Amino acid sequence: MAINLSKGERINLSKEAPGMTKAGVGLGWDINATDTGSDFDLDVSVFMLGGNGKIPNDKYFVFYNNLKSPDASVESMGDSRTGKGEGDDETVKVDLTKVDSAVEEMLFVVTIHEADERRQNFGQVRNSYIRIYNQETQEEVAKYELEEDFSRETALEFGRLYKKDGEWRFQAVGQGYNEGLQNFVDKYA
């Protein structure tokens, strides 16, 4: 049975899903009926951070132009440019056994492509969530549904996977920002 998380809550994946080595991270959303003159293109990015809070090198920033980390532990399954349809809109596969020892944390960030130019923000998006599931059994371990109204924000940090005491844990973050992807790159590179 999946655990429903609230903003800020954490779970220990080693205890809640013992033996899970391959995690799927599914992110989903729906777009409100608004007319901004453009389709919405939400992009999932993963920042694989070391103990210093920075990516060890540029290849540890997984996004639509770099679909796989150099250690092959994190792989984006591609960019959904519309978010239409049921279920996960974008998926990231994480092989916890392959994560480079220099990586202690993975941030999952969603940004709206060209948000300012298209006059779009997360207030026009609903039913947003991030979920963790076991890739081998497809069993959902945890889910965090964002319920806040992010009416001005153009980027969201959905959640983070991090290592503590040798065990992988997940935290539901739900932090909004009024900035684009480049600001995160500047912060973590």
Side-chain angles (χ1 to χ4, degrees), residues 45-50 52-58 60-61 105-109 157 159-160 173 175 177 179 181-189:
S45 301
V46 183
F47 293 88
M48 301 175 69
L49 308 177
N52 63 354
K54 303 284 185 184
I55 55 176
N57 72 52
D58 291 349
Y60 284 95
F61 165 41
E105 179 177 3
M106 295 173 225
L107 295 180
F108 293 85
V109 173
E157 185 180 323
R160 66 185 192 113
V173 177
Q175 177 67 47
Y177 300 89
E179 51 194 42
L181 183 57
Q182 187 61 50
N183 292 72
F184 290 96
V185 172
D186 294 345
K187 181 177 180 180
Y188 296 119

Side-chain angles (χ1 to χ4, degrees), residues 12-26:
N12 183 330
L13 293 176
S14 301
K15 291 184 177 150
E16 299 300 333
M20 180 178 72
T21 59
K22 294 182 179 179
V25 181

Side-chain angles (χ1 to χ4, degrees), residues 15 37 42 48 80 89 110 123 141 150 153 157:
K15 291 184 177 150
L42 277 64
M48 301 175 69
S80 167
D89 292 304
V110 179
V141 178
F150 296 102
E153 289 82 352
E157 185 180 323

Side-chain angles (χ1 to χ4, degrees), residues 19 42 50 78 81 90 104 144:
L42 277 64
R81 294 183 179 254
E90 293 195 17
E104 295 181 14
Y144 168 47

